[in-house]
Amino acid sequence: EDKGGIRRRPPEEDERTGALVRDTRSEDAMRRVVLALDWTPNTTHSGLYVAKERGYFEQEGLDVKLVSPHVTGYKITPINLLDAGEADFALGTSEAIYGYSATSPKPKLQAVASVMARDISRIVTLKEDGIDRPAKLDGQYYASYASRFEGVVVKKLIQNDGGKGTFIECVAEDNDTWNMFLERESSACWVLLHWEGVEASMKGIELNMFALDDYGLGYTFLEVIFARTEKLEEDPDLAESFLRACRKGYTEAAKDPAAAAEMFMTAVAKEYKDHPVTLDVELVRRSQEIISQYFLDEDGVWGRFDRRCVDRNIDWLSDNGLLTRLIDSCSPNVGEGSSSGEPEGWGSDERIPREELDSRRTFTNRYLDNC
């Protein structure tokens, strides 16, 4: 394939392992690409590491580096790296797209792929505490990431179940909400079924799980790959090449979770020799079995945004007064903070009219459709 005027041989396949073998003679032609991860490497990222191990990025002429925030002690976010021009792509939640792009003069962001086809998150409580419905969270402590919409989502969840929505939101150190919850410093937190949910099962911890859809919230947790809009427009071929390799990796992870788990652990060990990541082998294997069921949509395709889901999210955020140009403020002190400020207290000039947010501009299938 012709990349930057240099023709590369397609990678050959190792007859013993089936892995793609790098054509080292063309290594100088490889284009360096950096993807900033949202969290310490976990099975959410497994398709990316499968793509690295199998040589799918190299097949596209790309030398891809996956940057984990644990290396900097979570002091630098994926968006920070994009903003500084130190990353080409980043992984995170959909609310980053709304929040960051709405606040001028920050660069506009565009989501180019959805990592999972369905919501794999839940808000949980301990069964032994007797908080078996969201309404019972009134007056309770909630372990929070203090992300842009988190507090209001939890508040609406409680209210939709008949409660007042008067919970106490506490921000965990290093965003470690799960340990804050396990140490009984909070009564609830937001988790992922394939990670904290698996860990709880392995430890014999029984949880009540509340899915947003079950309580009429029109908001869906989306994990997405995104980039700066102007960079995508300048070089659409890069996005297509990158996503083509990602799609191969995630599709393979979906179809063979056992192999994906092993490749993920092998790749992480190689990638972070200077900043080792401790992985529980059994947790990774069980986790991969679950998340692999969420990677592909009902047509067996990875990455495409469901336009109805995205529009429903934007409609819900707009209807609840959450689409604003405000920069959210929360206390810098550990254990304090809030993302549940009252929308009715915000000026109308701070809100973004719904018609200004075209989901096709912020969440696009363009690059996947072309790859």
Side-chain angles (χ1 to χ4, degrees), residues 46-75:
S46 58
L48 300 169
Y49 287 99
V50 168
K52 281 183 71 74
E53 282 297 286
R54 293 280 285 157
Y56 296 145
F57 290 121
E58 293 181 349
Q59 187 175 3
E60 297 294 333
L62 304 178
D63 175 15
V64 174
K65 181 173 180 59
L66 305 177
V67 178
S68 169
H70 85 278
V71 173
T72 62
Y74 302 95
K75 299 296 189 295

PDB file of all heavy atoms in Angstrom, residues 46-75:
ATOM      1  N   SER A  46      -8.919  -3.703  24.885  1.00  0.00           N
ATOM      2  CA  SER A  46      -8.326  -4.941  24.373  1.00  0.00           C
ATOM      3  C   SER A  46      -8.234  -4.981  22.851  1.00  0.00           C
ATOM      4  O   SER A  46      -7.265  -5.498  22.292  1.00  0.00           O
ATOM      5  CB  SER A  46      -9.101  -6.162  24.883  1.00  0.00           C
ATOM      6  OG  SER A  46     -10.470  -6.084  24.501  1.00  0.00           O
ATOM      7  N   GLY A  47      -9.230  -4.437  22.167  1.00  0.00           N
ATOM      8  CA  GLY A  47      -9.176  -4.444  20.708  1.00  0.00           C
ATOM      9  C   GLY A  47      -7.990  -3.670  20.161  1.00  0.00           C
ATOM     10  O   GLY A  47      -7.425  -4.032  19.114  1.00  0.00           O
ATOM     11  N   LEU A  48      -7.596  -2.614  20.859  1.00  0.00           N
ATOM     12  CA  LEU A  48      -6.431  -1.828  20.446  1.00  0.00           C
ATOM     13  C   LEU A  48      -5.153  -2.641  20.591  1.00  0.00           C
ATOM     14  O   LEU A  48      -4.276  -2.616  19.711  1.00  0.00           O
ATOM     15  CB  LEU A  48      -6.337  -0.556  21.299  1.00  0.00           C
ATOM     16  CG  LEU A  48      -7.539   0.393  21.229  1.00  0.00           C
ATOM     17  CD1 LEU A  48      -7.431   1.451  22.323  1.00  0.00           C
ATOM     18  CD2 LEU A  48      -7.625   1.052  19.856  1.00  0.00           C
ATOM     19  N   TYR A  49      -5.059  -3.365  21.696  1.00  0.00           N
ATOM     20  CA  TYR A  49      -3.852  -4.166  21.925  1.00  0.00           C
ATOM     21  C   TYR A  49      -3.821  -5.401  21.027  1.00  0.00           C
ATOM     22  O   TYR A  49      -2.743  -5.842  20.625  1.00  0.00           O
ATOM     23  CB  TYR A  49      -3.761  -4.546  23.401  1.00  0.00           C
ATOM     24  CG  TYR A  49      -3.384  -3.366  24.272  1.00  0.00           C
ATOM     25  CD1 TYR A  49      -4.336  -2.652  24.976  1.00  0.00           C
ATOM     26  CD2 TYR A  49      -2.056  -2.956  24.368  1.00  0.00           C
ATOM     27  CE1 TYR A  49      -3.999  -1.551  25.752  1.00  0.00           C
ATOM     28  CE2 TYR A  49      -1.699  -1.863  25.142  1.00  0.00           C
ATOM     29  CZ  TYR A  49      -2.681  -1.165  25.827  1.00  0.00           C
ATOM     30  OH  TYR A  49      -2.327  -0.077  26.580  1.00  0.00           O
ATOM     31  N   VAL A  50      -4.996  -5.939  20.695  1.00  0.00           N
ATOM     32  CA  VAL A  50      -5.030  -7.025  19.717  1.00  0.00           C
ATOM     33  C   VAL A  50      -4.520  -6.516  18.374  1.00  0.00           C
ATOM     34  O   VAL A  50      -3.736  -7.186  17.691  1.00  0.00           O
ATOM     35  CB  VAL A  50      -6.462  -7.592  19.572  1.00  0.00           C
ATOM     36  CG1 VAL A  50      -6.557  -8.515  18.362  1.00  0.00           C
ATOM     37  CG2 VAL A  50      -6.865  -8.351  20.834  1.00  0.00           C
ATOM     38  N   ALA A  51      -4.933  -5.311  18.002  1.00  0.00           N
ATOM     39  CA  ALA A  51      -4.475  -4.719  16.743  1.00  0.00           C
ATOM     40  C   ALA A  51      -2.962  -4.536  16.737  1.00  0.00           C
ATOM     41  O   ALA A  51      -2.305  -4.737  15.705  1.00  0.00           O
ATOM     42  CB  ALA A  51      -5.174  -3.382  16.505  1.00  0.00           C
ATOM     43  N   LYS A  52      -2.400  -4.182  17.892  1.00  0.00           N
ATOM     44  CA  LYS A  52      -0.938  -4.038  17.977  1.00  0.00           C
ATOM     45  C   LYS A  52      -0.254  -5.399  17.868  1.00  0.00           C
ATOM     46  O   LYS A  52       0.706  -5.575  17.113  1.00  0.00           O
ATOM     47  CB  LYS A  52      -0.542  -3.349  19.293  1.00  0.00           C
ATOM     48  CG  LYS A  52      -0.724  -1.847  19.290  1.00  0.00           C
ATOM     49  CD  LYS A  52      -0.254  -1.216  20.592  1.00  0.00           C
ATOM     50  CE  LYS A  52       1.249  -1.238  20.739  1.00  0.00           C
ATOM     51  NZ  LYS A  52       1.931  -0.252  19.877  1.00  0.00           N
ATOM     52  N   GLU A  53      -0.743  -6.359  18.633  1.00  0.00           N
ATOM     53  CA  GLU A  53      -0.122  -7.679  18.644  1.00  0.00           C
ATOM     54  C   GLU A  53      -0.214  -8.382  17.289  1.00  0.00           C
ATOM     55  O   GLU A  53       0.707  -9.084  16.884  1.00  0.00           O
ATOM     56  CB  GLU A  53      -0.763  -8.556  19.729  1.00  0.00           C
ATOM     57  CG  GLU A  53      -0.275  -8.262  21.132  1.00  0.00           C
ATOM     58  CD  GLU A  53       1.206  -8.552  21.285  1.00  0.00           C
ATOM     59  OE1 GLU A  53       1.597  -9.734  21.339  1.00  0.00           O
ATOM     60  OE2 GLU A  53       1.992  -7.576  21.342  1.00  0.00           O
ATOM     61  N   ARG A  54      -1.319  -8.181  16.607  1.00  0.00           N
ATOM     62  CA  ARG A  54      -1.528  -8.857  15.333  1.00  0.00           C
ATOM     63  C   ARG A  54      -0.908  -8.103  14.152  1.00  0.00           C
ATOM     64  O   ARG A  54      -0.886  -8.588  13.033  1.00  0.00           O
ATOM     65  CB  ARG A  54      -3.019  -9.050  15.085  1.00  0.00           C
ATOM     66  CG  ARG A  54      -3.669 -10.011  16.065  1.00  0.00           C
ATOM     67  CD  ARG A  54      -3.409 -11.444  15.688  1.00  0.00           C
ATOM     68  NE  ARG A  54      -4.232 -11.845  14.534  1.00  0.00           N
ATOM     69  CZ  ARG A  54      -3.934 -12.845  13.720  1.00  0.00           C
ATOM     70  NH1 ARG A  54      -2.824 -13.525  13.888  1.00  0.00           N
ATOM     71  NH2 ARG A  54      -4.742 -13.160  12.728  1.00  0.00           N
ATOM     72  N   GLY A  55      -0.410  -6.904  14.411  1.00  0.00           N
ATOM     73  CA  GLY A  55       0.239  -6.144  13.350  1.00  0.00           C
ATOM     74  C   GLY A  55      -0.713  -5.385  12.448  1.00  0.00           C
ATOM     75  O   GLY A  55      -0.333  -4.953  11.355  1.00  0.00           O
ATOM     76  N   TYR A  56      -1.954  -5.174  12.900  1.00  0.00           N
ATOM     77  CA  TYR A  56      -2.922  -4.491  12.040  1.00  0.00           C
ATOM     78  C   TYR A  56      -2.576  -3.018  11.835  1.00  0.00           C
ATOM     79  O   TYR A  56      -2.838  -2.472  10.756  1.00  0.00           O
ATOM     80  CB  TYR A  56      -4.332  -4.621  12.618  1.00  0.00           C
ATOM     81  CG  TYR A  56      -4.831  -6.054  12.667  1.00  0.00           C
ATOM     82  CD1 TYR A  56      -5.643  -6.500  13.701  1.00  0.00           C
ATOM     83  CD2 TYR A  56      -4.492  -6.965  11.664  1.00  0.00           C
ATOM     84  CE1 TYR A  56      -6.104  -7.806  13.747  1.00  0.00           C
ATOM     85  CE2 TYR A  56      -4.947  -8.272  11.695  1.00  0.00           C
ATOM     86  CZ  TYR A  56      -5.750  -8.690  12.747  1.00  0.00           C
ATOM     87  OH  TYR A  56      -6.193  -9.985  12.783  1.00  0.00           O
ATOM     88  N   PHE A  57      -2.018  -2.367  12.859  1.00  0.00           N
ATOM     89  CA  PHE A  57      -1.602  -0.976  12.675  1.00  0.00           C
ATOM     90  C   PHE A  57      -0.424  -0.883  11.704  1.00  0.00           C
ATOM     91  O   PHE A  57      -0.380  -0.019  10.830  1.00  0.00           O
ATOM     92  CB  PHE A  57      -1.223  -0.344  14.018  1.00  0.00           C
ATOM     93  CG  PHE A  57      -2.381  -0.099  14.939  1.00  0.00           C
ATOM     94  CD1 PHE A  57      -2.424  -0.681  16.199  1.00  0.00           C
ATOM     95  CD2 PHE A  57      -3.429   0.715  14.552  1.00  0.00           C
ATOM     96  CE1 PHE A  57      -3.487  -0.457  17.052  1.00  0.00           C
ATOM     97  CE2 PHE A  57      -4.518   0.951  15.402  1.00  0.00           C
ATOM     98  CZ  PHE A  57      -4.541   0.363  16.650  1.00  0.00           C
ATOM     99  N   GLU A  58       0.519  -1.775  11.865  1.00  0.00           N
ATOM    100  CA  GLU A  58       1.675  -1.785  10.972  1.00  0.00           C
ATOM    101  C   GLU A  58       1.247  -2.041   9.532  1.00  0.00           C
ATOM    102  O   GLU A  58       1.834  -1.504   8.586  1.00  0.00           O
ATOM    103  CB  GLU A  58       2.683  -2.833  11.439  1.00  0.00           C
ATOM    104  CG  GLU A  58       3.327  -2.484  12.774  1.00  0.00           C
ATOM    105  CD  GLU A  58       4.335  -3.525  13.222  1.00  0.00           C
ATOM    106  OE1 GLU A  58       4.378  -4.614  12.610  1.00  0.00           O
ATOM    107  OE2 GLU A  58       5.078  -3.248  14.169  1.00  0.00           O
ATOM    108  N   GLN A  59       0.232  -2.874   9.363  1.00  0.00           N
ATOM    109  CA  GLN A  59      -0.285  -3.159   8.029  1.00  0.00           C
ATOM    110  C   GLN A  59      -0.775  -1.874   7.358  1.00  0.00           C
ATOM    111  O   GLN A  59      -0.730  -1.752   6.123  1.00  0.00           O
ATOM    112  CB  GLN A  59      -1.430  -4.170   8.132  1.00  0.00           C
ATOM    113  CG  GLN A  59      -1.943  -4.673   6.796  1.00  0.00           C
ATOM    114  CD  GLN A  59      -2.994  -5.752   6.971  1.00  0.00           C
ATOM    115  OE1 GLN A  59      -3.377  -6.078   8.089  1.00  0.00           O
ATOM    116  NE2 GLN A  59      -3.453  -6.306   5.871  1.00  0.00           N
ATOM    117  N   GLU A  60      -1.207  -0.901   8.186  1.00  0.00           N
ATOM    118  CA  GLU A  60      -1.664   0.381   7.662  1.00  0.00           C
ATOM    119  C   GLU A  60      -0.545   1.418   7.587  1.00  0.00           C
ATOM    120  O   GLU A  60      -0.795   2.580   7.276  1.00  0.00           O
ATOM    121  CB  GLU A  60      -2.792   0.926   8.552  1.00  0.00           C
ATOM    122  CG  GLU A  60      -4.036   0.064   8.587  1.00  0.00           C
ATOM    123  CD  GLU A  60      -4.748   0.001   7.239  1.00  0.00           C
ATOM    124  OE1 GLU A  60      -4.611   0.956   6.455  1.00  0.00           O
ATOM    125  OE2 GLU A  60      -5.432  -1.007   6.978  1.00  0.00           O
ATOM    126  N   GLY A  61       0.682   0.986   7.898  1.00  0.00           N
ATOM    127  CA  GLY A  61       1.806   1.917   7.876  1.00  0.00           C
ATOM    128  C   GLY A  61       1.885   2.802   9.109  1.00  0.00           C
ATOM    129  O   GLY A  61       2.482   3.879   9.077  1.00  0.00           O
ATOM    130  N   LEU A  62       1.299   2.345  10.213  1.00  0.00           N
ATOM    131  CA  LEU A  62       1.220   3.156  11.426  1.00  0.00           C
ATOM    132  C   LEU A  62       2.006   2.533  12.570  1.00  0.00           C
ATOM    133  O   LEU A  62       1.903   1.336  12.836  1.00  0.00           O
ATOM    134  CB  LEU A  62      -0.244   3.318  11.862  1.00  0.00           C
ATOM    135  CG  LEU A  62      -1.210   3.905  10.826  1.00  0.00           C
ATOM    136  CD1 LEU A  62      -2.621   3.947  11.399  1.00  0.00           C
ATOM    137  CD2 LEU A  62      -0.759   5.283  10.370  1.00  0.00           C
ATOM    138  N   ASP A  63       2.787   3.361  13.243  1.00  0.00           N
ATOM    139  CA  ASP A  63       3.488   2.982  14.463  1.00  0.00           C
ATOM    140  C   ASP A  63       2.710   3.604  15.611  1.00  0.00           C
ATOM    141  O   ASP A  63       2.872   4.786  15.915  1.00  0.00           O
ATOM    142  CB  ASP A  63       4.927   3.503  14.425  1.00  0.00           C
ATOM    143  CG  ASP A  63       5.675   3.233  15.723  1.00  0.00           C
ATOM    144  OD1 ASP A  63       5.197   2.402  16.523  1.00  0.00           O
ATOM    145  OD2 ASP A  63       6.734   3.869  15.944  1.00  0.00           O
ATOM    146  N   VAL A  64       1.824   2.837  16.220  1.00  0.00           N
ATOM    147  CA  VAL A  64       0.879   3.370  17.201  1.00  0.00           C
ATOM    148  C   VAL A  64       1.386   3.177  18.628  1.00  0.00           C
ATOM    149  O   VAL A  64       1.764   2.070  19.021  1.00  0.00           O
ATOM    150  CB  VAL A  64      -0.501   2.705  17.047  1.00  0.00           C
ATOM    151  CG1 VAL A  64      -1.442   3.140  18.168  1.00  0.00           C
ATOM    152  CG2 VAL A  64      -1.097   3.067  15.683  1.00  0.00           C
ATOM    153  N   LYS A  65       1.366   4.270  19.385  1.00  0.00           N
ATOM    154  CA  LYS A  65       1.725   4.224  20.802  1.00  0.00           C
ATOM    155  C   LYS A  65       0.471   4.521  21.609  1.00  0.00           C
ATOM    156  O   LYS A  65      -0.222   5.519  21.372  1.00  0.00           O
ATOM    157  CB  LYS A  65       2.810   5.245  21.140  1.00  0.00           C
ATOM    158  CG  LYS A  65       3.224   5.216  22.616  1.00  0.00           C
ATOM    159  CD  LYS A  65       4.405   6.109  22.878  1.00  0.00           C
ATOM    160  CE  LYS A  65       4.813   6.082  24.364  1.00  0.00           C
ATOM    161  NZ  LYS A  65       5.167   4.726  24.815  1.00  0.00           N
ATOM    162  N   LEU A  66       0.169   3.656  22.570  1.00  0.00           N
ATOM    163  CA  LEU A  66      -0.974   3.842  23.455  1.00  0.00           C
ATOM    164  C   LEU A  66      -0.471   4.420  24.772  1.00  0.00           C
ATOM    165  O   LEU A  66       0.307   3.774  25.479  1.00  0.00           O
ATOM    166  CB  LEU A  66      -1.693   2.512  23.681  1.00  0.00           C
ATOM    167  CG  LEU A  66      -2.132   1.773  22.401  1.00  0.00           C
ATOM    168  CD1 LEU A  66      -2.771   0.438  22.745  1.00  0.00           C
ATOM    169  CD2 LEU A  66      -3.080   2.626  21.585  1.00  0.00           C
ATOM    170  N   VAL A  67      -0.886   5.624  25.084  1.00  0.00           N
ATOM    171  CA  VAL A  67      -0.395   6.339  26.265  1.00  0.00           C
ATOM    172  C   VAL A  67      -1.399   6.207  27.395  1.00  0.00           C
ATOM    173  O   VAL A  67      -2.552   6.637  27.274  1.00  0.00           O
ATOM    174  CB  VAL A  67      -0.156   7.828  25.947  1.00  0.00           C
ATOM    175  CG1 VAL A  67       0.303   8.575  27.197  1.00  0.00           C
ATOM    176  CG2 VAL A  67       0.875   7.978  24.834  1.00  0.00           C
ATOM    177  N   SER A  68      -0.982   5.613  28.496  1.00  0.00           N
ATOM    178  CA  SER A  68      -1.862   5.421  29.652  1.00  0.00           C
ATOM    179  C   SER A  68      -1.676   6.555  30.661  1.00  0.00           C
ATOM    180  O   SER A  68      -0.553   6.964  30.951  1.00  0.00           O
ATOM    181  CB  SER A  68      -1.550   4.084  30.329  1.00  0.00           C
ATOM    182  OG  SER A  68      -2.214   3.996  31.574  1.00  0.00           O
ATOM    183  N   PRO A  69      -2.770   7.058  31.241  1.00  0.00           N
ATOM    184  CA  PRO A  69      -2.653   8.144  32.229  1.00  0.00           C
ATOM    185  C   PRO A  69      -1.980   7.721  33.527  1.00  0.00           C
ATOM    186  O   PRO A  69      -1.562   8.584  34.304  1.00  0.00           O
ATOM    187  CB  PRO A  69      -4.105   8.565  32.455  1.00  0.00           C
ATOM    188  CG  PRO A  69      -4.908   7.353  32.116  1.00  0.00           C
ATOM    189  CD  PRO A  69      -4.172   6.690  30.988  1.00  0.00           C
ATOM    190  N   HIS A  70      -1.859   6.414  33.770  1.00  0.00           N
ATOM    191  CA  HIS A  70      -1.209   5.999  35.024  1.00  0.00           C
ATOM    192  C   HIS A  70       0.271   6.378  35.019  1.00  0.00           C
ATOM    193  O   HIS A  70       0.886   6.525  36.078  1.00  0.00           O
ATOM    194  CB  HIS A  70      -1.376   4.492  35.249  1.00  0.00           C
ATOM    195  CG  HIS A  70      -0.361   3.636  34.560  1.00  0.00           C
ATOM    196  ND1 HIS A  70      -0.458   3.277  33.221  1.00  0.00           N
ATOM    197  CD2 HIS A  70       0.795   3.057  35.002  1.00  0.00           C
ATOM    198  CE1 HIS A  70       0.578   2.530  32.887  1.00  0.00           C
ATOM    199  NE2 HIS A  70       1.346   2.368  33.948  1.00  0.00           N
ATOM    200  N   VAL A  71       0.837   6.571  33.829  1.00  0.00           N
ATOM    201  CA  VAL A  71       2.256   6.927  33.717  1.00  0.00           C
ATOM    202  C   VAL A  71       2.526   8.286  34.358  1.00  0.00           C
ATOM    203  O   VAL A  71       3.598   8.516  34.921  1.00  0.00           O
ATOM    204  CB  VAL A  71       2.687   6.921  32.231  1.00  0.00           C
ATOM    205  CG1 VAL A  71       4.095   7.459  32.071  1.00  0.00           C
ATOM    206  CG2 VAL A  71       2.587   5.506  31.664  1.00  0.00           C
ATOM    207  N   THR A  72       1.545   9.202  34.290  1.00  0.00           N
ATOM    208  CA  THR A  72       1.709  10.536  34.876  1.00  0.00           C
ATOM    209  C   THR A  72       0.921  10.686  36.175  1.00  0.00           C
ATOM    210  O   THR A  72       0.729  11.805  36.647  1.00  0.00           O
ATOM    211  CB  THR A  72       1.248  11.616  33.881  1.00  0.00           C
ATOM    212  OG1 THR A  72      -0.155  11.435  33.608  1.00  0.00           O
ATOM    213  CG2 THR A  72       2.042  11.552  32.592  1.00  0.00           C
ATOM    214  N   GLY A  73       0.476   9.568  36.727  1.00  0.00           N
ATOM    215  CA  GLY A  73      -0.312   9.643  37.953  1.00  0.00           C
ATOM    216  C   GLY A  73      -1.653  10.307  37.742  1.00  0.00           C
ATOM    217  O   GLY A  73      -2.203  10.938  38.654  1.00  0.00           O
ATOM    218  N   TYR A  74      -2.200  10.175  36.539  1.00  0.00           N
ATOM    219  CA  TYR A  74      -3.510  10.727  36.176  1.00  0.00           C
ATOM    220  C   TYR A  74      -3.548  12.252  36.252  1.00  0.00           C
ATOM    221  O   TYR A  74      -4.601  12.853  36.399  1.00  0.00           O
ATOM    222  CB  TYR A  74      -4.621  10.126  37.052  1.00  0.00           C
ATOM    223  CG  TYR A  74      -4.681   8.629  36.935  1.00  0.00           C
ATOM    224  CD1 TYR A  74      -4.012   7.818  37.855  1.00  0.00           C
ATOM    225  CD2 TYR A  74      -5.351   8.025  35.891  1.00  0.00           C
ATOM    226  CE1 TYR A  74      -4.028   6.438  37.718  1.00  0.00           C
ATOM    227  CE2 TYR A  74      -5.379   6.646  35.759  1.00  0.00           C
ATOM    228  CZ  TYR A  74      -4.709   5.864  36.682  1.00  0.00           C
ATOM    229  OH  TYR A  74      -4.719   4.500  36.552  1.00  0.00           O
ATOM    230  N   LYS A  75      -2.379  12.867  36.141  1.00  0.00           N
ATOM    231  CA  LYS A  75      -2.317  14.332  36.179  1.00  0.00           C
ATOM    232  C   LYS A  75      -2.643  14.948  34.820  1.00  0.00           C
ATOM    233  O   LYS A  75      -2.991  16.122  34.736  1.00  0.00           O
ATOM    234  CB  LYS A  75      -0.914  14.782  36.624  1.00  0.00           C
ATOM    235  CG  LYS A  75      -0.501  14.305  38.009  1.00  0.00           C
ATOM    236  CD  LYS A  75      -1.388  14.893  39.080  1.00  0.00           C
ATOM    237  CE  LYS A  75      -0.871  14.618  40.479  1.00  0.00           C
ATOM    238  NZ  LYS A  75      -0.869  13.195  40.851  1.00  0.00           N
TER     239      LYS A  75
END
